[in-house]
């Protein structure tokens, strides 16, 4: 069969100094498949000061293409080589935040959390809260509850 060089989107190169793994080929193929080769890179994908609301005049999104992009990105991030165990610190640290009535359409708040094991990010999410908070304190309380649930799961 020979030496392993490509496996489920991972490029593998074995030399005397060690084994090197990357996903450059999979990433380039994904960008080509979804017509994103000519897109420019940015350090921050979106300005944090922009408020999102419903686009009444926008065109419909092709759900098949959209789901394909999301699946490809999920696979890309889930299959990346995990070098967490090279870290010597195993302190579990978590952060949570919320914005009060961030969505202009339904006035729901948005929560976000991230969890670190040592200095490595192991979990994060950001989503619209399922209920409408009546104060900033309540929005933060809901975010902390989600954060604690994630910590208990970890």
């Amino acid at each position: 069969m020979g030496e392993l060089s490509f496996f489920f989107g991972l490029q593998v190169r074995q030399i005397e100094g060690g084994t090197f793994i990357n996903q450059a080929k999979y990433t380039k193929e994904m960008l080509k498949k979804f017509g994103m080769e000519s897109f420019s890179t940015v350090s921050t994908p979106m300005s944090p000061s922009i408020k999102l609301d419903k686009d009444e005049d926008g065109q419909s999104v092709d759900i098949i293409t959209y789901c394909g992009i999301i699946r490809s990105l999920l696979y890309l991030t889930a299959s990346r080589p995990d070098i967490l165990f090279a870290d010597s610190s195993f302190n579990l640290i978590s952060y949570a935040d919320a914005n009060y009535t961030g969505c202009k359409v339904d006035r729901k708040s948005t929560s976000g959390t991230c969890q670190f094991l040592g200095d490595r990010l192991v979990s994060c999410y950001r989503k619209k809260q399922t209920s409408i908070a009546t104060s900033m304190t309540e929005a933060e309380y809901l975010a902390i509850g989600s954060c604690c649930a994630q910590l208990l799961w970890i």
Side-chain angles (χ1 to χ4, degrees), residues 135-150:
S135 68
M136 184 63 196
T137 304
E138 186 178 351
E140 293 283 351
Y141 179 75
L142 292 169
I144 292 294
S146 297
C147 185
C148 289
Q150 185 66 15

Side-chain angles (χ1 to χ4, degrees), residues 105-118:
V105 177
D106 58 10
R107 309 303 293 164
K108 289 186 178 177
S109 302
T110 305
S111 296
T113 71
C114 58
Q115 289 76 33
F116 291 85
L117 188 58

Side-chain angles (χ1 to χ4, degrees), residues 2-88:
E3 191 173 278
L4 178 67
S5 61
F6 195 76
F7 182 74
F8 286 118
L10 297 172
Q11 290 171 265
V12 181
R13 198 174 94 194
Q14 300 173 5
I15 60 174
E16 280 186 37
T19 302
F20 297 91
I21 301 171
N22 72 58
Q23 295 172 298
K25 183 177 178 185
Y26 176 81
T27 305
K28 286 178 185 176
E29 288 174 359
M30 184 184 71
L31 292 173
K32 184 177 180 180
K33 178 180 178 181
F34 296 111
M36 297 181 186
E37 305 145 301
S38 62
F39 288 16
S40 60
T41 60
V42 292
S43 59
T44 305
M46 187 174 135
S47 172
S49 63
I50 292 176
K51 294 284 188 180
L52 297 178
D53 58 2
K54 192 171 185 177
D55 185 5
E56 300 289 343
D57 302 326
Q59 64 187 75
S60 299
V61 175
D62 178 16
I63 193 71
I64 303 297
T65 303
Y66 178 77
C67 287
I69 292 170
I70 297 300
R71 277 193 294 271
S72 296
L73 288 171
L74 286 172
Y75 179 76
L76 183 67
T77 57
S79 64
R80 72 179 170 81
D82 191 356
I83 58 172
L84 171 70
F85 298 108
D87 184 22
S88 60

